Amino acid sequence: MEALPLPSPEDVTDGQSRGASCAWCGHGPLSTDAVVDLGTRKNPLGGSWFPRACPHCVTARAHRALSAHASMCEQCVDEAARCATGSALQQLVRESQR
C-alpha cells in the first residue's frame, strides 16, 4: 500500500478518517461489499485513522502506481512475477475490479 500514497490525515474529513467515505474522493457512505480497506494508519498528530477507498479510486491509483513502478523496476522488466511490489499492485488492480 505504500505505493498508493494517501492524503494527509489532517486534510481528510471525519468520514474519510473513520473509513465511512473514500480516502481519496470522499464518496460515501461506502458499502461493505464495494470497499477496499487500506489498513489502520498512525496519525502523526496522535491516534490512528482507518482509511478505506472505493474500487474506482483504488483501480485508478493502482494502475498509475504499477505503470510508474514497472518502468523503473529491473525485476519487473526481467521477470515481473518475481517482483513483490509489482505482483501486489497487479493483484490489487484485479481485486478492485471485481
Side-chain angles (χ1 to χ4, degrees):
M1 290 297 183
E2 290 81 29
L4 305 176
L6 290 168
S8 172
E10 299 90 31
D11 297 332
V12 299
T13 66
D14 181 58
Q16 287 170 301
S17 69
R18 290 184 293 110
S21 301
C22 178
W24 289 296
C25 73
H27 175 77
L30 294 172
S31 166
T32 56
D33 61 334
V35 66
V36 178
D37 187 342
L38 301 172
T40 302
R41 306 292 176 102
K42 295 292 181 196
N43 185 332
L45 300 177
S48 298
W49 70 301
F50 310 93
R52 299 190 318 159
C54 65
H56 174 75
C57 283
V58 171
T59 300
R61 281 165 175 77
H63 269 128
R64 283 196 298 265
L66 181 57
S67 294
H69 171 78
S71 69
M72 298 182 297
C73 176
E74 187 175 329
Q75 184 65 60
C76 282
V77 172
D78 293 342
E79 192 174 350
R82 297 188 70 179
C83 176
T85 300
S87 295
L89 288 168
Q90 287 176 342
Q91 181 179 355
L92 188 58
V93 169
R94 282 192 304 272
E95 288 179 8
S96 65
Q97 291 177 334
R98 290 182 186 176

Coordinates of all heavy atoms in Angstrom, one line a residue:
M1 N 0.8 -1.2 0.0 CA 0.0 0.0 0.0 C 0.8 1.3 0.0 O 0.3 2.3 -0.3 CB -0.9 0.0 1.2 CG -2.0 -1.0 1.1 SD -3.1 -0.7 -0.3 CE -4.3 -1.9 0.0
E2 N 2.1 1.1 0.3 CA 3.0 2.3 0.3 C 3.1 2.9 -1.1 O 3.4 4.1 -1.2 CB 4.4 2.0 0.8 CG 4.5 1.7 2.3 CD 4.1 0.2 2.6 OE1 4.2 -0.7 1.7 OE2 3.5 0.0 3.7
A3 N 2.8 2.2 -2.1 CA 2.9 2.7 -3.5 C 1.7 3.5 -3.8 O 1.6 4.2 -4.8 CB 3.0 1.5 -4.5
L4 N 0.7 3.5 -2.9 CA -0.6 4.3 -3.1 C -0.6 5.3 -2.1 O -1.3 5.1 -1.0 CB -1.8 3.4 -3.1 CG -1.8 2.2 -4.0 CD1 -3.1 1.3 -3.8 CD2 -1.8 2.6 -5.5
P5 N 0.0 6.5 -2.2 CA 0.0 7.5 -1.2 C -1.4 8.0 -0.9 O -2.2 8.3 -1.8 CB 0.9 8.6 -1.7 CG 1.1 8.3 -3.2 CD 0.7 6.9 -3.4
L6 N -1.6 8.1 0.4 CA -2.9 8.6 0.9 C -2.8 10.1 1.2 O -1.7 10.7 1.4 CB -3.2 7.9 2.2 CG -3.6 6.5 2.1 CD1 -3.7 5.8 3.4 CD2 -5.0 6.3 1.4
P7 N -3.9 10.8 1.2 CA -3.9 12.2 1.7 C -3.4 12.2 3.1 O -3.5 11.3 3.9 CB -5.3 12.7 1.5 CG -6.2 11.5 1.4 CD -5.3 10.3 0.9
S8 N -3.0 13.4 3.6 CA -2.6 13.6 4.9 C -3.8 13.4 5.8 O -4.9 14.0 5.5 CB -1.9 14.9 5.1 OG -1.7 15.2 6.5
P9 N -3.7 12.8 7.0 CA -4.8 12.6 7.9 C -5.4 14.0 8.3 O -6.6 14.1 8.6 CB -4.3 11.8 9.1 CG -2.9 11.5 8.8 CD -2.5 12.1 7.5
E10 N -4.6 15.0 8.3 CA -5.1 16.3 8.7 C -5.9 17.0 7.6 O -6.7 17.9 7.9 CB -3.9 17.3 9.0 CG -3.0 16.9 10.1 CD -1.8 16.0 9.6 OE1 -1.4 16.1 8.5 OE2 -1.4 15.1 10.4
D11 N -5.9 16.4 6.4 CA -6.6 17.0 5.3 C -7.9 16.3 4.9 O -8.5 16.6 3.9 CB -5.7 17.1 4.1 CG -4.5 18.0 4.3 OD1 -4.6 18.9 5.1 OD2 -3.4 17.7 3.6
V12 N -8.2 15.3 5.7 CA -9.4 14.5 5.3 C -10.6 14.8 6.3 O -10.4 15.3 7.4 CB -9.2 12.9 5.3 CG1 -8.1 12.6 4.3 CG2 -8.8 12.5 6.7
T13 N -11.8 14.5 5.8 CA -13.0 14.7 6.6 C -13.1 13.6 7.7 O -12.4 12.6 7.7 CB -14.2 14.6 5.8 OG1 -14.4 13.3 5.3 CG2 -14.2 15.6 4.6
D14 N -14.0 13.8 8.6 CA -14.2 12.8 9.7 C -14.6 11.5 9.0 O -14.2 10.4 9.5 CB -15.3 13.3 10.6 CG -15.6 12.3 11.8 OD1 -14.6 12.0 12.5 OD2 -16.7 11.9 11.9
G15 N -15.5 11.5 8.0 CA -15.9 10.3 7.3 C -14.8 9.6 6.7 O -14.7 8.4 6.7
Q16 N -13.9 10.3 6.1 CA -12.7 9.7 5.5 C -11.8 9.1 6.5 O -11.3 8.0 6.3 CB -11.9 10.7 4.6 CG -12.6 11.1 3.4 CD -12.0 12.3 2.7 OE1 -11.9 13.4 3.3 NE2 -11.5 12.1 1.5
S17 N -11.6 9.7 7.6 CA -10.7 9.2 8.7 C -11.3 8.0 9.4 O -10.6 7.1 9.8 CB -10.3 10.3 9.7 OG -11.4 10.6 10.5
R18 N -12.6 7.9 9.4 CA -13.3 6.7 10.0 C -13.5 5.6 9.0 O -13.9 4.5 9.4 CB -14.7 7.1 10.5 CG -14.7 8.0 11.7 CD -16.1 8.2 12.3 NE -16.9 9.0 11.4 CZ -17.9 8.6 10.7 NH1 -18.3 7.3 10.8 NH2 -18.6 9.4 9.9
G19 N -13.2 5.8 7.7 CA -13.4 4.8 6.7 C -14.8 4.7 6.2 O -15.2 3.8 5.4
A20 N -15.6 5.7 6.5 CA -17.0 5.7 6.0 C -17.1 6.3 4.6 O -18.0 5.9 3.9 CB -17.9 6.6 6.9
S21 N -16.1 7.1 4.2 CA -16.0 7.7 2.9 C -14.6 7.4 2.3 O -13.7 7.1 3.0 CB -16.2 9.2 3.0 OG -17.4 9.5 3.6
C22 N -14.6 7.4 1.0 CA -13.3 7.1 0.3 C -12.2 8.1 0.7 O -12.4 9.3 0.7 CB -13.5 7.2 -1.2 SG -12.0 6.9 -2.2
A23 N -11.1 7.5 1.0 CA -9.9 8.4 1.5 C -9.5 9.4 0.4 O -9.0 10.4 0.7 CB -8.8 7.5 1.9
W24 N -9.7 9.0 -0.9 CA -9.3 9.9 -1.9 C -10.4 10.8 -2.5 O -10.2 12.1 -2.5 CB -8.7 9.1 -3.1 CG -7.4 8.5 -2.8 CD1 -6.2 9.2 -2.5 CD2 -7.0 7.1 -2.7 NE1 -5.2 8.3 -2.2 CE2 -5.7 7.0 -2.3 CE3 -7.8 6.0 -2.9 CZ2 -5.0 5.8 -2.2 CZ3 -7.1 4.8 -2.7 CH2 -5.8 4.7 -2.4
C25 N -11.5 10.3 -2.9 CA -12.5 11.2 -3.5 C -13.6 11.6 -2.5 O -14.3 12.5 -2.8 CB -13.2 10.4 -4.7 SG -14.3 9.1 -4.2
G26 N -13.6 11.0 -1.3 CA -14.6 11.5 -0.3 C -16.0 10.9 -0.5 O -16.9 11.2 0.2
H27 N -16.2 10.1 -1.6 CA -17.5 9.5 -1.8 C -17.9 8.6 -0.7 O -17.1 7.8 -0.1 CB -17.5 8.6 -3.1 CG -18.8 7.9 -3.4 ND1 -19.9 8.5 -3.8 CD2 -19.1 6.6 -3.2 CE1 -20.9 7.6 -3.9 NE2 -20.4 6.5 -3.5
G28 N -19.1 8.7 -0.3 CA -19.6 7.8 0.9 C -21.1 8.0 1.0 O -21.7 8.8 0.3
P29 N -21.7 7.2 1.8 CA -21.0 6.2 2.6 C -20.6 5.0 1.8 O -21.3 4.6 0.8 CB -22.1 5.8 3.7 CG -23.4 6.1 3.0 CD -23.1 7.3 2.1
L30 N -19.5 4.4 2.1 CA -19.0 3.2 1.4 C -19.8 2.0 1.8 O -20.0 1.8 3.0 CB -17.5 3.0 1.6 CG -16.6 4.1 1.1 CD1 -15.2 3.9 1.6 CD2 -16.6 4.1 -0.4
S31 N -20.1 1.2 0.8 CA -20.8 -0.1 1.1 C -19.8 -1.2 1.5 O -18.7 -1.2 0.9 CB -21.6 -0.5 -0.2 OG -22.0 -1.9 -0.1
T32 N -20.1 -2.0 2.4 CA -19.2 -3.0 2.8 C -18.8 -4.0 1.7 O -17.8 -4.7 1.8 CB -19.7 -3.8 4.1 OG1 -21.0 -4.4 3.7 CG2 -19.8 -2.9 5.3
D33 N -19.7 -4.2 0.7 CA -19.4 -5.1 -0.4 C -18.7 -4.4 -1.5 O -18.2 -5.1 -2.4 CB -20.7 -5.8 -0.9 CG -21.7 -4.8 -1.4 OD1 -21.7 -3.6 -1.0 OD2 -22.5 -5.2 -2.3
A34 N -18.5 -3.1 -1.5 CA -17.7 -2.4 -2.5 C -16.8 -1.4 -1.9 O -16.9 -0.2 -2.0 CB -18.7 -1.7 -3.4
V35 N -15.8 -2.0 -1.1 CA -14.8 -1.1 -0.4 C -13.5 -1.8 -0.4 O -13.4 -3.1 -0.3 CB -15.3 -0.8 1.0 CG1 -15.4 -2.0 1.9 CG2 -14.5 0.3 1.6
V36 N -12.4 -1.1 -0.4 CA -11.1 -1.6 -0.2 C -10.5 -1.0 1.1 O -10.4 0.2 1.3 CB -10.1 -1.3 -1.4 CG1 -8.8 -1.8 -1.1 CG2 -10.7 -1.8 -2.7
D37 N -10.2 -1.9 2.1 CA -9.7 -1.5 3.4 C -8.2 -1.2 3.2 O -7.5 -2.1 2.7 CB -9.9 -2.6 4.4 CG -9.5 -2.2 5.8 OD1 -8.8 -1.2 6.0 OD2 -9.9 -2.8 6.7
L38 N -7.8 0.0 3.5 CA -6.4 0.4 3.3 C -5.5 0.2 4.6 O -4.4 0.6 4.6 CB -6.3 1.8 2.8 CG -7.0 2.0 1.5 CD1 -7.1 3.5 1.1 CD2 -6.4 1.2 0.3
G39 N -6.1 -0.4 5.6 CA -5.4 -0.7 6.8 C -5.4 0.5 7.8 O -5.5 1.7 7.4
T40 N -5.2 0.2 9.0 CA -5.1 1.2 10.1 C -3.8 1.9 9.9 O -2.7 1.3 9.7 CB -5.2 0.5 11.5 OG1 -6.4 -0.2 11.6 CG2 -5.1 1.6 12.6
R41 N -3.8 3.2 10.0 CA -2.6 4.1 9.9 C -2.5 4.9 11.1 O -3.4 5.3 11.7 CB -2.7 5.0 8.7 CG -3.1 4.3 7.4 CD -1.9 3.4 6.9 NE -2.2 2.7 5.7 CZ -1.8 3.0 4.5 NH1 -1.1 4.1 4.3 NH2 -2.2 2.3 3.5
K42 N -1.2 5.2 11.4 CA -0.9 6.1 12.5 C -1.1 7.6 12.0 O -0.7 7.9 11.0 CB 0.5 5.9 13.0 CG 0.7 4.6 13.7 CD 0.0 4.4 14.9 CE 0.2 3.1 15.6 NZ -0.7 2.7 16.6
N43 N -1.7 8.4 12.9 CA -1.9 9.8 12.6 C -0.7 10.5 13.2 O -0.4 10.3 14.4 CB -3.2 10.3 13.2 CG -3.5 11.7 12.8 OD1 -2.6 12.5 12.6 ND2 -4.8 12.1 12.8
P44 N 0.0 11.3 12.5 CA 1.2 12.0 13.0 C 0.9 12.9 14.2 O 1.7 13.2 15.0 CB 1.8 12.8 11.9 CG 1.0 12.4 10.7 CD -0.1 11.6 11.1
L45 N -0.4 13.3 14.3 CA -0.8 14.2 15.4 C -1.3 13.3 16.6 O -1.7 13.9 17.6 CB -2.0 15.1 14.9 CG -1.6 16.0 13.8 CD1 -2.9 16.8 13.4 CD2 -0.5 16.9 14.2
G46 N -1.2 12.0 16.5 CA -1.6 11.2 17.6 C -2.8 10.3 17.2 O -3.7 10.8 16.4
G47 N -2.9 9.1 17.7 CA -4.0 8.3 17.4 C -3.9 7.6 16.1 O -2.8 7.5 15.5
S48 N -5.0 7.0 15.6 CA -5.0 6.3 14.3 C -6.1 6.7 13.5 O -7.1 7.4 13.9 CB -5.2 4.8 14.6 OG -4.1 4.3 15.4
W49 N -6.0 6.4 12.2 CA -7.1 6.6 11.3 C -7.3 5.4 10.4 O -6.4 4.5 10.4 CB -7.0 7.9 10.5 CG -5.9 8.0 9.4 CD1 -4.6 7.9 9.6 CD2 -6.2 8.3 8.1 NE1 -4.0 8.1 8.4 CE2 -4.9 8.4 7.4 CE3 -7.3 8.6 7.3 CZ2 -4.7 8.7 6.1 CZ3 -7.1 8.9 5.9 CH2 -5.9 8.9 5.4
F50 N -8.4 5.2 9.8 CA -8.8 3.9 9.2 C -9.3 4.1 7.8 O -10.5 4.0 7.5 CB -10.0 3.3 10.1 CG -9.6 3.3 11.5 CD1 -10.0 4.3 12.4 CD2 -8.9 2.2 12.0 CE1 -9.6 4.2 13.7 CE2 -8.5 2.2 13.4 CZ -8.9 3.2 14.2
P51 N -8.4 4.5 6.9 CA -8.7 4.8 5.5 C -9.3 3.6 4.8 O -8.8 2.4 4.9 CB -7.5 5.3 4.9 CG -6.4 4.6 5.7 CD -6.9 4.6 7.1
R52 N -10.3 3.8 4.0 CA -10.9 2.8 3.1 C -11.1 3.6 1.8 O -11.1 4.8 1.8 CB -12.2 2.2 3.6 CG -12.0 1.5 4.9 CD -13.1 0.7 5.4 NE -14.4 1.3 5.3 CZ -15.6 0.6 5.2 NH1 -15.6 -0.7 5.4 NH2 -16.7 1.3 5.1
A53 N -11.3 2.9 0.7 CA -11.5 3.5 -0.6 C -12.5 2.8 -1.4 O -12.8 1.6 -1.3 CB -10.2 3.5 -1.3
C54 N -13.1 3.6 -2.4 CA -14.0 3.0 -3.4 C -13.1 2.3 -4.4 O -12.0 2.6 -4.7 CB -14.8 4.1 -4.0 SG -14.0 5.3 -5.0
P55 N -13.7 1.2 -5.0 CA -12.9 0.5 -6.0 C -12.4 1.3 -7.2 O -11.3 1.1 -7.7 CB -14.0 -0.6 -6.5 CG -14.9 -0.8 -5.4 CD -15.0 0.6 -4.8
H56 N -13.2 2.3 -7.6 CA -12.8 3.2 -8.7 C -11.4 3.9 -8.4 O -10.5 3.9 -9.2 CB -13.8 4.2 -9.1 CG -13.4 5.2 -10.1 ND1 -13.3 4.9 -11.4 CD2 -13.0 6.5 -10.0 CE1 -12.9 5.9 -12.1 NE2 -12.7 6.9 -11.2
C57 N -11.3 4.5 -7.2 CA -10.1 5.2 -6.8 C -8.9 4.2 -6.7 O -7.8 4.5 -7.1 CB -10.3 5.9 -5.5 SG -11.3 7.5 -5.8
V58 N -9.2 3.0 -6.1 CA -8.1 2.1 -5.9 C -7.6 1.6 -7.3 O -6.4 1.5 -7.5 CB -8.6 0.9 -5.1 CG1 -7.5 -0.2 -5.1 CG2 -8.8 1.3 -3.7
T59 N -8.5 1.3 -8.2 CA -8.1 0.8 -9.5 C -7.3 1.8 -10.2 O -6.2 1.5 -10.8 CB -9.3 0.4 -10.4 OG1 -10.1 -0.6 -9.7 CG2 -9.0 -0.1 -11.7
A60 N -7.7 3.1 -10.3 CA -7.0 4.2 -10.9 C -5.6 4.4 -10.4 O -4.6 4.5 -11.1 CB -7.8 5.5 -10.9
R61 N -5.6 4.4 -9.0 CA -4.3 4.7 -8.4 C -3.3 3.5 -8.5 O -2.1 3.6 -8.7 CB -4.5 5.0 -6.9 CG -4.8 6.5 -6.9 CD -5.4 6.9 -5.5 NE -5.7 8.3 -5.5 CZ -6.7 8.9 -6.0 NH1 -7.6 8.2 -6.7 NH2 -6.9 10.2 -5.9
A62 N -3.9 2.3 -8.4 CA -3.0 1.1 -8.6 C -2.5 1.0 -10.0 O -1.3 0.6 -10.2 CB -3.8 -0.2 -8.2
H63 N -3.3 1.3 -11.0 CA -2.8 1.3 -12.4 C -1.7 2.3 -12.6 O -0.6 2.0 -13.2 CB -3.9 1.7 -13.4 CG -4.7 0.5 -13.9 ND1 -6.1 0.5 -13.9 CD2 -4.3 -0.6 -14.5 CE1 -6.5 -0.7 -14.4 NE2 -5.4 -1.3 -14.8
R64 N -1.9 3.5 -12.1 CA -0.8 4.5 -12.2 C 0.5 4.1 -11.4 O 1.6 4.2 -11.9 CB -1.3 5.9 -11.6 CG -2.2 6.6 -12.6 CD -2.3 8.1 -12.2 NE -2.9 8.3 -10.9 CZ -4.2 8.5 -10.7 NH1 -5.1 8.5 -11.7 NH2 -4.7 8.7 -9.4
A65 N 0.3 3.5 -10.2 CA 1.5 3.1 -9.4 C 2.2 1.9 -10.1 O 3.4 1.9 -10.1 CB 1.0 2.7 -8.0
L66 N 1.4 1.0 -10.7 CA 2.0 -0.1 -11.4 C 2.8 0.3 -12.6 O 3.9 -0.1 -12.8 CB 0.9 -1.1 -11.8 CG 1.4 -2.4 -12.5 CD1 2.4 -3.2 -11.7 CD2 0.2 -3.3 -12.9
S67 N 2.2 1.3 -13.4 CA 3.0 1.8 -14.5 C 4.2 2.5 -14.1 O 5.3 2.3 -14.7 CB 2.1 2.8 -15.3 OG 1.0 2.1 -15.9
A68 N 4.2 3.3 -13.1 CA 5.4 4.0 -12.6 C 6.4 3.1 -12.1 O 7.6 3.2 -12.4 CB 5.0 5.0 -11.6
H69 N 6.0 2.1 -11.3 CA 6.9 1.1 -10.7 C 7.5 0.3 -11.8 O 8.8 0.1 -11.8 CB 6.1 0.2 -9.7 CG 7.0 -0.9 -9.2 ND1 8.0 -0.8 -8.3 CD2 7.0 -2.2 -9.6 CE1 8.5 -1.9 -8.1 NE2 8.0 -2.8 -8.9
A70 N 6.7 -0.3 -12.7 CA 7.3 -1.3 -13.7 C 8.3 -0.6 -14.6 O 9.2 -1.2 -15.0 CB 6.1 -1.9 -14.5
S71 N 8.1 0.7 -14.9 CA 9.0 1.4 -15.8 C 10.4 1.6 -15.1 O 11.3 1.9 -15.8 CB 8.4 2.7 -16.2 OG 8.3 3.6 -15.2
M72 N 10.5 1.5 -13.8 CA 11.7 1.8 -13.1 C 12.3 0.6 -12.4 O 13.3 0.6 -11.8 CB 11.5 2.9 -12.1 CG 11.1 4.2 -12.6 SD 11.0 5.5 -11.4 CE 9.7 4.8 -10.3
C73 N 11.6 -0.6 -12.5 CA 12.0 -1.8 -11.7 C 12.6 -2.8 -12.7 O 12.0 -3.3 -13.6 CB 10.8 -2.4 -11.1 SG 11.1 -3.9 -10.2
E74 N 13.9 -3.0 -12.4 CA 14.6 -4.0 -13.3 C 14.0 -5.4 -13.1 O 13.9 -6.1 -14.1 CB 16.1 -4.0 -12.8 CG 17.0 -4.9 -13.7 CD 18.4 -4.8 -13.4 OE1 18.9 -3.8 -12.9 OE2 19.1 -5.8 -13.6
Q75 N 13.6 -5.8 -11.9 CA 13.0 -7.1 -11.8 C 11.7 -7.2 -12.6 O 11.4 -8.3 -13.2 CB 12.7 -7.3 -10.3 CG 12.1 -8.7 -10.0 CD 13.2 -9.8 -10.3 OE1 14.2 -9.8 -9.8 NE2 12.9 -10.7 -11.3
C76 N 10.9 -6.2 -12.6 CA 9.6 -6.2 -13.4 C 10.0 -6.4 -14.9 O 9.2 -7.0 -15.7 CB 8.8 -4.9 -13.2 SG 7.9 -4.9 -11.7
V77 N 11.1 -5.8 -15.4 CA 11.5 -5.9 -16.8 C 11.9 -7.3 -17.1 O 11.6 -7.9 -18.1 CB 12.5 -4.9 -17.1 CG1 13.1 -5.1 -18.5 CG2 12.0 -3.4 -17.0
D78 N 12.7 -7.9 -16.1 CA 13.3 -9.2 -16.4 C 12.3 -10.3 -16.1 O 12.2 -11.2 -16.9 CB 14.5 -9.4 -15.4 CG 15.7 -8.5 -15.8 OD1 15.7 -7.9 -16.9 OD2 16.6 -8.3 -14.9
E79 N 11.6 -10.3 -15.0 CA 10.7 -11.3 -14.6 C 9.7 -10.8 -13.6 O 9.9 -10.9 -12.4 CB 11.5 -12.5 -14.0 CG 10.6 -13.8 -13.9 CD 11.4 -15.0 -13.5 OE1 12.6 -14.9 -13.4 OE2 10.7 -16.0 -13.2
A80 N 8.6 -10.2 -14.2 CA 7.7 -9.5 -13.4 C 7.1 -10.3 -12.2 O 6.8 -9.8 -11.1 CB 6.6 -8.9 -14.2
A81 N 6.9 -11.6 -12.4 CA 6.3 -12.4 -11.4 C 7.1 -12.5 -10.1 O 6.6 -12.8 -9.1 CB 6.0 -13.8 -11.9
R82 N 8.4 -12.2 -10.2 CA 9.3 -12.2 -9.0 C 9.4 -10.9 -8.3 O 10.1 -10.9 -7.3 CB 10.6 -12.7 -9.5 CG 10.6 -14.1 -10.1 CD 11.9 -14.7 -10.3 NE 12.5 -15.0 -9.0 CZ 13.7 -15.5 -8.8 NH1 14.4 -15.8 -9.9 NH2 14.2 -15.7 -7.6
C83 N 8.7 -9.9 -8.7 CA 8.7 -8.6 -8.0 C 7.5 -8.5 -7.1 O 6.3 -8.5 -7.6 CB 8.7 -7.5 -9.0 SG 8.6 -5.8 -8.2
A84 N 7.8 -8.4 -5.8 CA 6.7 -8.4 -4.8 C 5.8 -7.2 -5.0 O 4.6 -7.3 -4.9 CB 7.3 -8.5 -3.4
T85 N 6.4 -6.0 -5.2 CA 5.6 -4.8 -5.4 C 4.7 -4.8 -6.6 O 3.6 -4.5 -6.6 CB 6.5 -3.5 -5.4 OG1 7.3 -3.5 -4.2 CG2 5.8 -2.3 -5.6
G86 N 5.3 -5.2 -7.7 CA 4.6 -5.3 -9.0 C 3.5 -6.3 -8.9 O 2.3 -6.1 -9.3
S87 N 3.7 -7.5 -8.3 CA 2.7 -8.5 -8.1 C 1.6 -8.0 -7.2 O 0.4 -8.3 -7.5 CB 3.3 -9.8 -7.5 OG 4.3 -10.3 -8.4
A88 N 1.9 -7.3 -6.1 CA 0.9 -6.8 -5.2 C 0.0 -5.8 -5.9 O -1.2 -5.8 -5.7 CB 1.6 -6.2 -4.0
L89 N 0.6 -4.9 -6.7 CA -0.2 -3.9 -7.4 C -1.1 -4.6 -8.5 O -2.2 -4.2 -8.6 CB 0.8 -2.9 -8.1 CG 1.4 -1.9 -7.1 CD1 2.5 -1.1 -7.8 CD2 0.4 -1.0 -6.5
Q90 N -0.6 -5.6 -9.2 CA -1.4 -6.3 -10.1 C -2.6 -7.0 -9.4 O -3.7 -6.9 -9.9 CB -0.6 -7.3 -10.9 CG 0.4 -6.7 -11.9 CD 1.3 -7.8 -12.6 OE1 1.4 -8.9 -12.1 NE2 1.8 -7.4 -13.7
Q91 N -2.3 -7.6 -8.3 CA -3.4 -8.2 -7.6 C -4.4 -7.2 -7.1 O -5.6 -7.4 -7.1 CB -2.8 -9.0 -6.4 CG -3.9 -9.7 -5.6 CD -3.3 -10.5 -4.4 OE1 -2.1 -10.6 -4.2 NE2 -4.2 -11.0 -3.6
L92 N -4.0 -6.1 -6.6 CA -4.9 -5.0 -6.2 C -5.7 -4.5 -7.3 O -6.9 -4.3 -7.1 CB -4.1 -3.9 -5.6 CG -4.8 -2.8 -4.9 CD1 -5.7 -3.3 -3.8 CD2 -3.9 -1.7 -4.4
V93 N -5.2 -4.4 -8.5 CA -6.0 -4.0 -9.7 C -7.0 -5.0 -9.9 O -8.2 -4.7 -10.1 CB -5.1 -3.7 -10.9 CG1 -5.9 -3.6 -12.2 CG2 -4.2 -2.5 -10.7
R94 N -6.6 -6.3 -10.0 CA -7.6 -7.4 -10.2 C -8.7 -7.4 -9.2 O -9.9 -7.5 -9.5 CB -6.9 -8.7 -10.3 CG -6.1 -9.0 -11.6 CD -5.7 -10.4 -11.7 NE -4.9 -10.9 -10.5 CZ -3.6 -10.8 -10.5 NH1 -2.9 -10.3 -11.5 NH2 -2.9 -11.2 -9.4
E95 N -8.4 -7.3 -7.9 CA -9.3 -7.4 -6.9 C -10.3 -6.2 -6.8 O -11.5 -6.4 -6.5 CB -8.7 -7.6 -5.5 CG -8.0 -9.0 -5.3 CD -7.3 -9.1 -4.0 OE1 -7.4 -8.2 -3.2 OE2 -6.6 -10.1 -3.8
S96 N -9.8 -5.1 -7.1 CA -10.6 -3.9 -7.1 C -11.6 -3.8 -8.3 O -12.5 -3.0 -8.2 CB -9.8 -2.6 -7.0 OG -9.0 -2.4 -8.1
Q97 N -11.3 -4.6 -9.3 CA -12.2 -4.5 -10.5 C -13.4 -5.5 -10.3 O -14.2 -5.6 -11.2 CB -11.4 -4.8 -11.7 CG -10.5 -3.7 -12.1 CD -9.7 -4.0 -13.3 OE1 -9.4 -5.2 -13.6 NE2 -9.2 -3.0 -14.0
R98 N -13.4 -6.3 -9.3 CA -14.5 -7.3 -9.1 C -15.8 -6.7 -8.7 O -15.9 -5.7 -8.1 CB -14.1 -8.3 -8.0 CG -13.0 -9.2 -8.5 CD -12.6 -10.2 -7.5 NE -11.5 -11.0 -8.0 CZ -10.8 -11.9 -7.3 NH1 -11.3 -12.2 -6.1 NH2 -9.8 -12.5 -7.8

